Amino acid sequence: MSGERDMTGSGSDSGATNAMWGGRFADGPSAIMREINASIPFDKALWREDIAASKAHVAMLAACGIVAAEDAGVIANGLEAVAAEYERDGVPENWDLEDIHMTTEARLAELIGPVAGRLHTARSRNDQVATDFRLWVRGRMEAMDQALADLQRALVTRAGEHKGSIMPGFTHLQTAQPVTLGHHLMAYYEMFRRDRSRLADARARMNECPLGSAALAGTGFAIDREMTAQALGFAAPTANSLDAVSDRDFAMDFLWCCSTTALHLSRLAEELILWASQPFGFIRLPDSLSTGSSIMPQKKNPDAAELVRGHAGRVIGALTSLMITMKGLPLAYSKDMQDDKPPVFEAASLMELSLAAMTGMIAGSSFDTARMRAAAELGYATATDLADWLVRVADIPFREAHHITGSAVKLAESRGTALDQLPLADLKAIDERIDERVYAALSVDASVAARRSYGGTAPTQVGLQVERARAALGMEE
Ligand code: ARG
């Protein structure tokens, strides 16, 4: 149906004017016009929302006495029949019908005859597409929230298993202080908790119904916008018809939510990739989410994690794309706005895949806790504990304690040994106030156990974080 492209771009291929809007035209659109104009190849994804909005609209038209109840019934049944065809055979792509709205209306007319023409009373494709797209985005916000909750459950489960598993904590990717793996995983739980709250805000803000704004100015028919808003699950009708048909903030809010989540997923993916590399060796990713190399038989590549990291670029690109599409548009609708959908559709499906892949990797990975612990014991991760001990037990000001500890690290480094392997005599030579009790503070276990401040890495604190999260997620005991 898409037809041959007429490279001259001039004149009509068929000579026929458009059946929906061609009344004032002598000649039909060129092949290029038909192709550039057609959004059906992508906006057919809105068919369910389009049918739902049309059913709500026609029911309202009947309730307000604008369309006879009998006609409205025929139209509603016809819409059901069209929906059943779409469900069974997919949505046909005919560029002449431009978009999902005209495709559905044209099929409705084929099925029920001229009465189909009454459906488009008191509305325009401008409020129609704004309504359909909001419904679609709202559905994806809900789905994304659920996918985030699944990922949080996986994180909390693994964190609960590893409340006490010690690993190096990093700053600048240099060993800083020992932390627990549970603590590290719960950090991502918090990021995804904020992501869900951002989605909830965006959903609440966007839940207003544009239907009835018509082309831009509202309508002279005595419609009931509360009724359609309610039927479609919106909290209220939009307040200004010009804004309603030209607003795509809801889509940009969604893409912002997607971008932030994608960014968080990308950071986690990056850590999994590092941890899975041989020099780290902290983690074995599930075979089911890894690939092999066609040339190096020993390889197991973290492709799913790499693609999650890569997808973040495309998702952030989608946000940028829509913002740039919108930035110069005068009120109200301009056809540029038809380009709002591909980036949103793409971002939504990338997010669905990325979230599912990440949930699988978190749930299915095995952690080499012995190796993590050994890494934590390297790199003088407990140097801060020595300094803290000097402050606490020997009553030395922190700055001075920091300096003394630096000397101890330097000595240990020159001997190629760990801090707690330095003999007491050598420590005393650095500062005579050090005594044998210091050794109890220098183990990685003592270090993490000591960090009991609220939100800290001590297994008891991590346990509390896990408990609170399990309660928030409704995870049974
Ligand atoms: N396909 C169009 C879109 O996605 C629908 C609105 C068209 N409105 C118009 N006046 N041409 O934006």
Side-chain angles (χ1 to χ4, degrees):
M1 275 294 204
S2 44
E4 289 295 296
R5 182 182 281 157
D6 166 13
M7 292 313 293
T8 68
S10 62
S12 164
D13 295 1
S14 58
T17 63
N18 186 291
M20 295 288 176
W21 45 253
R24 76 184 294 287
F25 287 78
D27 209 358
S30 73
I32 286 179
M33 187 60 226
R34 291 191 298 129
E35 184 172 353
I36 198 172
N37 206 30
S39 55
I40 188 67
F42 52 87
D43 69 16
K44 61 185 182 178
L46 298 177
W47 74 260
R48 286 188 177 79
E49 290 75 15
D50 197 63
I51 298 275
S54 287
K55 283 170 71 179
H57 183 66
V58 78
M60 181 277 291
L61 292 176
C64 295
I66 298 165
V67 165
E70 193 188 322
D71 289 346
V74 172
I75 291 170
N77 289 338
L79 287 166
E80 298 267 8
V82 175
E85 287 182 3
Y86 289 169
E87 191 78 74
R88 194 180 58 234
D89 308 325
V91 179
E93 261 186 55
N94 176 355
W95 291 355
D96 290 322
L97 294 173
E98 292 185 22
D99 57 26
I100 184 60
H101 323 294
M102 300 217 294
T103 299
T104 299
E105 202 184 316
R107 183 61 188 144
L108 184 66
E110 283 171 5
L111 292 180
I112 66 171
V115 67
R118 297 195 183 277
L119 171 60
H120 212 54
T121 313
R123 78 172 185 189
S124 145
R125 275 188 293 156
N126 296 349
D127 60 337
Q128 201 180 347
V129 71
T131 304
D132 294 358
F133 198 27
R134 272 196 203 227
L135 287 170
W136 192 91
V137 167
R138 191 177 71 188
R140 298 311 281 245
M141 285 176 162
E142 288 161 1
M144 188 165 141
D145 182 67
Q146 284 314 301
L148 278 163
D150 289 343
L151 174 54
Q152 284 184 308
R153 283 187 202 100
L155 284 164
V156 168
T157 299
R158 301 315 303 270
E161 293 162 16
H162 291 287
K163 300 195 267 279
S165 304
I166 290 173
M167 63 176 281
F170 301 96
T171 61
H172 313 267
L173 200 57
Q174 305 286 311
T175 299
Q177 292 173 351
V179 295
T180 66
L181 174 57
H183 194 216
H184 198 113
L185 295 173
M186 288 305 288
Y188 284 97
Y189 167 85
E190 290 297 321
M191 293 180 224
F192 298 126
R193 188 171 67 81
R194 288 194 296 277
D195 290 346
R196 293 183 67 196
S197 118
R198 219 180 327 272
L199 271 173
D201 290 347
R203 188 197 183 284
R205 191 178 309 111
M206 67 95 82
N207 201 29
E208 295 177 351
C209 185
L211 198 59
S213 300
L216 74 167
T219 176
F221 292 98
I223 58 172
D224 181 349
R225 293 194 57 210
E226 297 282 351
M227 182 178 167
T228 38
Q230 211 181 12
L232 295 169
F234 288 105
T238 51
N240 180 300
S241 61
L242 287 169
D243 176 53
V245 294
S246 60
D247 166 40
R248 293 296 182 269
D249 289 3
F250 62 93
M252 287 183 282
D253 274 2
F254 174 58
L255 289 175
W256 170 249
C257 291
C258 291
S259 294
T260 314
T261 297
L263 183 156
H264 292 152
L265 289 172
S266 178
R267 295 182 73 178
L268 179 50
E270 167 66 8
E271 300 212 282
L272 298 183
I273 292 161
L274 277 174
W275 292 357
S277 74
Q278 286 70 21
F280 272 86
F282 287 1
I283 189 175
R284 273 182 303 278
L285 291 166
D287 283 355
S288 59
L289 288 162
S290 307
T291 62
S293 159
S294 50
I295 182 154
M296 294 166 285
Q298 87 283 10
K299 294 287 301 278
K300 177 170 153 185
N301 294 328
D303 294 44
E306 291 169 284
L307 286 163
V308 168
R309 188 176 58 184
H311 287 172
R314 291 168 66 189
V315 171
I316 294 165
L319 171 63
T320 311
S321 160
L322 182 55
M323 291 181 86
I324 294 173
T325 295
M326 296 302 296
K327 78 170 187 56
L329 299 186
L331 298 185
Y333 178 87
S334 297
K335 199 59 170 265
D336 315 42
M337 291 168 70
Q338 180 164 285
D339 281 343
D340 57 359
K341 286 163 219 78
V344 173
F345 291 166
E346 187 189 29
S349 49
L350 290 174
M351 291 313 296
E352 189 182 326
L353 261 176
S354 288
L355 282 162
M358 186 54 82
T359 302
M361 285 187 282
I362 295 299
S365 287
S366 59
F367 296 98
D368 189 336
T369 51
R371 204 160 153 116
M372 287 182 157
R373 187 188 172 88
E377 280 165 347
L378 299 172
Y380 309 104
T382 59
T384 316
D385 298 279
L386 172 53
D388 287 351
W389 184 89
L390 291 168
V391 171
R392 234 182 10 250
V393 181
D395 195 29
I396 298 172
F398 183 77
R399 284 292 160 216
E400 195 187 338
H402 184 284
H403 193 81
I404 295 166
T405 304
S407 307
V409 169
K410 200 166 151 200
L411 179 67
E413 212 170 29
S414 71
R415 301 220 183 128
T417 157
L419 269 182
D420 61 357
Q421 303 301 309
L422 288 173
L424 186 58
D426 291 323
L427 288 172
K428 273 195 173 304
I430 293 169
D431 194 290
E432 62 185 12
R433 289 167 288 185
I434 299 175
D435 63 41
E436 66 289 341
R437 289 173 296 171
V438 77
Y439 290 103
L442 292 185
S443 74
V444 290
D445 299 279
S447 174
V448 298
R451 289 192 164 65
R452 283 184 300 266
S453 56
Y454 184 85
T457 204
T460 50
Q461 276 300 322
V462 176
L464 289 174
Q465 291 178 41
V466 168
E467 266 174 45
R468 284 194 297 268
R470 291 180 68 92
L473 291 167
M475 292 168 78
E476 71 304 331
E477 275 316 293

